[in-house]
Amino acid sequence: RDKTKERRSLLSEKKVLSAVHVFRHRELAAKIAALTEDLEELRSEKNMLLASLAYTEEDAADKFPKDIAAMEQSLKRLEEQEQKHSAELDAALNEYAGLREQAQGFDLVQLYEARQAIRPNKEQEAENRAQQVYGEKYNQLLMFDCKKTISRMLYEDMERQAVRRMMRQAQEEQQIFQTTWILPNCGVRT
């Protein structure tokens, strides 16, 4: 609108200007040409945007504000859901941390093995639920990323390494124990 107003004012100034002012006429003509080109670019950009949003120039004035309002409502609803789910996630993580503290007295290896035995069924249940909710929009890669994120949030990599280290140490101790019992029976002193 500003460019259109500026172009109109320059055109009216050029009409009023006498033919004696040749340099001013050329200057105004150049400015008018530049503004005309800018306006054409803006019109084509506007038409491309409307086409990408599946609007015609006539429909845009009516449908666009309604669609914006609907999208804003959807955005509010999604933000509310995000807050709700974030609170649920925080509560679940706090509960998990509490259960982890309670599990400190248990054998870490047995607890890890029990969790690994339960995990495939629970993951499958979660995956089935996500497929039901999302239907055709379900994305296997997104589910995989979610599993990795949850694993990271629960520090499962560190736990897995700790369990492996403990199992290795137990095996080494068992081998040392067996070696000290077997060798004396064979007549070899240690």
Side-chain angles (χ1 to χ4, degrees), residues 103-136:
Q104 292 298 324
F106 294 110
D107 180 21
L108 187 61
V109 175
Q110 287 179 341
L111 183 63
Y112 177 79
E113 289 173 350
R115 279 193 16 227
Q116 293 305 312
I118 294 170
R119 186 178 192 118
N121 291 335
K122 295 299 179 180
E123 281 183 352
Q124 189 61 48
E125 287 175 18
E127 198 167 332
N128 291 342
R129 176 77 174 118
Q131 285 176 341
Q132 287 175 344
V133 169
Y134 288 104
E136 291 180 8

Side-chain angles (χ1 to χ4, degrees), residues 61-139:
D62 295 333
K63 292 182 181 179
F64 197 67
K66 292 176 187 175
D67 289 349
I68 292 285
M71 287 180 201
E72 287 175 347
Q73 289 290 4
S74 295
L75 182 61
K76 286 179 186 177
R77 206 170 43 249
L78 287 172
E79 287 172 350
E80 290 170 1
Q81 287 179 347
E82 180 185 14
Q83 290 174 350
K84 174 187 159 196
H85 293 306
S86 292
E88 288 175 2
L89 177 62
D90 290 341
L93 286 172
N94 289 335
E95 182 182 353
Y96 180 76
L99 291 173
R100 258 185 104 118
E101 283 184 32
Q102 290 177 2
Q104 292 298 324
F106 294 110
D107 180 21
L108 187 61
V109 175
Q110 287 179 341
L111 183 63
Y112 177 79
E113 289 173 350
R115 279 193 16 227
Q116 293 305 312
I118 294 170
R119 186 178 192 118
N121 291 335
K122 295 299 179 180
E123 281 183 352
Q124 189 61 48
E125 287 175 18
E127 198 167 332
N128 291 342
R129 176 77 174 118
Q131 285 176 341
Q132 287 175 344
V133 169
Y134 288 104
E136 291 180 8
K137 294 183 180 182
Y138 173 77
N139 186 336

Side-chain angles (χ1 to χ4, degrees), residues 27 44 52 74 90 97 118 120 129 142 145 148 158 171-172:
E27 184 181 316
S44 66
S52 71
S74 295
D90 290 341
I118 294 170
R129 176 77 174 118
L142 183 61
D145 287 343
K148 286 174 60 176
M158 292 187 313
Q171 288 174 348
E172 289 171 2

Side-chain angles (χ1 to χ4, degrees), residues 14 17-29:
K14 185 178 175 187
L17 196 62
S18 68
V20 176
H21 303 286
V22 176
F23 293 114
R24 183 70 180 146
H25 271 281
R26 287 183 185 166
E27 184 181 316
L28 289 174

